[in-house]
């Protein structure tokens, strides 16, 4: 792992093929860290240079005073890409990372070859924003433990939580522990940043290839949200996985195959 000397110090891991191989950047969900991408990165590293990083306030990256915005998270990623890679990338984000991907494509098009937006949305209405604020308030008062069980239910299917396939229950426990270890204020600040997004106008300006991935059993960001993102980005493709919210964790090989097929089409 490394640490980029940026305005916000971001922890990152670069692995895989070197030289002129295509570069894939992986951006994780709220409450996770770059380890969320272990299975996907392992499946991609033979053919791609893979860079994954911890968002501000997550993992081993710097915790900085809020408030945060998704635009700020995108600017963090852009600074990291410029310093560590220096060329356009395939930017892949899930949930909060997928929101970052949408912001990246609109704010930093010179750094983007394509985007993949997984298990995300392009905006929240007032009702949803109220629910996000209520969750943030609860965490502020009682800590992240107050929302940990609910998060596991949204993130993973019942089978995955029940150890199907074998070993998956241990993964769920790992993610619960990771969430519990997160800084309370950073979680609140990121939650509020997520709640305020509205990419409906800026997505119309996105000109790069885009793939939108939905989980058919994702209650946090249902497939209708992915369909709206696809409709808002000209030429965007849509793929559906049989997963809950953390699709890249439940089915990393399926997720990685969707990515490599999408990237290959751009080269043909």
């Amino acid at each position: 792992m490394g640490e980029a000397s940026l305005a916000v110090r971001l922890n990152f891991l670069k692995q895989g093929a070197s030289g002129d191989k295509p570069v894939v950047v992986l951006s994780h969900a709220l409450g996770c860290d770059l380890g969320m991408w272990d299975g996907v990165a392992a499946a991609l590293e033979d053919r791609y240079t893979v860079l994954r990083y911890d968002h501000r306030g997550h993992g081993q990256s710097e915790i900085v005073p809020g408030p945060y915005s998704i635009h700020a998270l995108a600017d963090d990623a852009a600074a990291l890409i410029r310093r560590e890679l220096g060329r356009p990338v395939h930017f892949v984000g899930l949930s909060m990372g997928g929101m970052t991907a949408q912001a990246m494509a609109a704010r930093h098009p010179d750094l983007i070859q394509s985007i993949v937006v997984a298990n995300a949305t392009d905006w929240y209405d007032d009702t949803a924003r109220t629910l996000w604020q209520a969750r943030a308030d609860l965490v502020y008062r009682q800590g992240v433990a107050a929302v940990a069980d609910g998060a596991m239910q949204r993130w993973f299917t019942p089978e995955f939580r029940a150890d199907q396939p074998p070993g998956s229950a241990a993964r769920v426990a790992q993610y619960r522990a990771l969430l519990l270890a997160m800084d309370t204020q950073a979680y609140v600040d990121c939650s509020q940043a997520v709640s305020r997004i509205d990419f409906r106008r800026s997505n119309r300006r996105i000109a790069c290839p885009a793939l939108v991935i939905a989980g058919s059993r994702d209650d946090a960001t249902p497939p209708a949200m992915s369909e709206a993102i696809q409709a808002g980005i000209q030429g965007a493709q849509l793929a559906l996985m049989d997963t809950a919210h953390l699709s890249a964790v439940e089915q990393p090989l399926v997720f990685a195959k969707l990515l490599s097929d999408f990237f290959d089409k751009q080269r043909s």
Side-chain angles (χ1 to χ4, degrees):
M1 294 189 183
E3 185 178 275
S5 179
L6 307 167
V8 177
R9 294 190 303 276
L10 297 182
N11 178 60
F12 68 93
L13 175 62
K14 186 163 63 172
Q15 65 194 96
S18 57
D20 62 353
K21 295 296 184 181
V23 180
V24 180
V25 173
L26 303 174
S27 182
H28 65 76
L30 172 65
C32 298
D33 66 4
L34 58 77
M36 191 195 86
W37 297 108
D38 284 349
V40 173
L44 294 176
E45 65 179 356
D46 286 347
R47 297 180 58 198
Y48 305 94
T49 300
V50 181
L51 185 146
R52 42 190 169 129
Y53 68 97
D54 294 333
H55 286 285
R56 60 168 67 187
H58 289 72
Q60 298 179 46
S61 285
E62 184 180 10
I63 300 171
V64 296
Y68 298 170
S69 70
I70 294 297
H71 290 155
L73 300 189
D75 292 348
D76 291 347
L80 179 64
I81 291 167
R82 286 194 173 96
R83 178 179 176 85
E84 297 299 326
L85 300 168
R87 58 189 172 114
V89 305
H90 300 291
F91 194 95
V92 180
L94 188 149
S95 192
M96 186 173 74
M99 299 167 193
T100 305
Q102 293 171 81
M104 281 288 296
R107 291 173 68 81
H108 303 284
D110 59 308
L111 295 177
I112 300 299
Q113 282 186 267
S114 70
I115 59 169
V116 178
V117 180
N119 305 89
T121 189
D122 57 358
W123 78 295
Y124 286 109
D125 61 19
D126 289 342
T127 300
R129 289 180 180 184
T130 299
L131 292 173
W132 271 105
Q133 186 60 53
R135 186 187 303 172
D137 291 342
L138 179 63
V139 169
Y140 185 78
R141 295 193 310 268
Q142 300 183 21
V144 183
V147 299
D149 290 340
M152 297 307 104
Q153 292 172 15
R154 290 189 303 274
W155 288 2
F156 303 110
T157 58
E159 305 94 281
F160 200 84
R161 300 196 306 271
D163 210 35
Q164 296 297 325
S168 60
R171 290 283 277 161
V172 175
Q174 173 190 350
Y175 281 88
R176 190 177 190 279
L178 181 65
L179 181 60
L180 290 174
M182 186 173 177
D183 179 82
T184 296
Q185 189 60 54
Y187 184 93
V188 169
D189 288 337
C190 285
S191 295
Q192 292 174 335
V194 165
S195 74
R196 292 191 295 266
I197 65 163
D198 189 348
F199 300 124
R200 290 174 294 175
R201 287 189 177 182
S202 57
N203 277 0
R204 296 176 199 155
R205 303 197 304 269
I206 294 175
C208 67
L211 171 65
V212 184
I213 298 176
S216 62
R217 303 167 70 185
D218 184 356
D219 293 331
T221 50
M225 291 182 170
S226 292
E227 292 166 3
I229 297 171
Q230 179 199 21
I233 300 176
Q234 185 174 5
Q237 304 172 36
L238 178 67
L240 191 65
M241 294 179 60
D242 181 24
T243 65
H245 193 55
L246 292 192
S247 57
V249 177
E250 286 207 62
Q251 295 185 14
L253 296 183
V254 174
F255 194 101
K257 181 66 163 53
L258 288 173
L259 297 187
S260 59
D261 287 350
F262 174 59
F263 302 149
D264 284 347
K265 285 180 183 177
Q266 297 173 47
R267 302 171 69 182
S268 62

